[in-house]
Amino acid sequence: MLITETKLAPNLNFFISGYKIYRADDPSGSRKVGSAVIIRADLCHNELPPILEDDVQISRVQIKIDNTDYQIGSFYSTPDQRVTPTLIWGIVHEMKFRFILGGDFNSKHIRWGSNVTNPRGNMLYDQIFKLNLEIAYPFEPTHYPDSGHMPDLLDFFIGKPFQHFCSVPSVIHDLSSDHLPVLLTLSTAIPNSCNTYTS
């Protein structure tokens, strides 16, 4: 599970039986932003250091998919934070050659089904193209603003290479957040046993 906008201070903890929780809290210690990865404890994985920037928080783990190392990360950045091409390049460089990064990018572009294109969406679209990334997104809105504004699509996945084993993401009409959960299914084998796992 990739969780965004956790709003957890470092001294606030929570636990789910049978799961490990890896967090990327706001570097300033405030309760405004943050992300988390929640993964089954019996699923073979390695914790990776979070990517903590003033403008972006990414929690991440490494798992094997089809016997190949992949990083899985949860991305969050608020609309008022500054996300630049240099920052995106640095994140992609840090995530290595194979990764799936999902979350609330607060980036709108008609290419992935948003109602409009905003400057951050234009920038991210350009970087996806320049860095030869792939994108997976649902075919319906993921965000229903409390303000009554039109629903839009803000939650999706980018990475490389993954579309050969990923389904089209689907929106789950459940829970009580203004963001609906998005389900991405991997049609592949992920080992439970760590006996042969090396990072």
Side-chain angles (χ1 to χ4, degrees), residues 2 100 136-137 157 162 165-170 182-186:
L2 307 181
I100 299 172
Y137 53 90
F157 303 86
F162 63 79
F165 59 74
C166 289
S167 67
V168 173
S170 59
V182 180
L183 177 65
L184 180 69
T185 301
L186 305 182

Side-chain angles (χ1 to χ4, degrees), residues 50-62:
I51 298 174
L52 294 175
E53 303 285 347
D54 292 334
D55 300 315
V56 172
Q57 300 81 46
I58 300 172
S59 47
R60 57 194 178 130
V61 297
Q62 182 171 278

Side-chain angles (χ1 to χ4, degrees), residues 85 106-112 116-130:
N106 276 302
S107 301
K108 298 183 181 183
H109 200 286
I110 58 173
R111 168 63 178 81
W112 49 79
V116 297
T117 297
N118 63 11
R120 185 189 286 197
N122 262 331
M123 180 278 300
L124 184 59
Y125 177 75
D126 288 345
Q127 293 308 302
I128 288 171
F129 178 77
K130 289 176 180 176

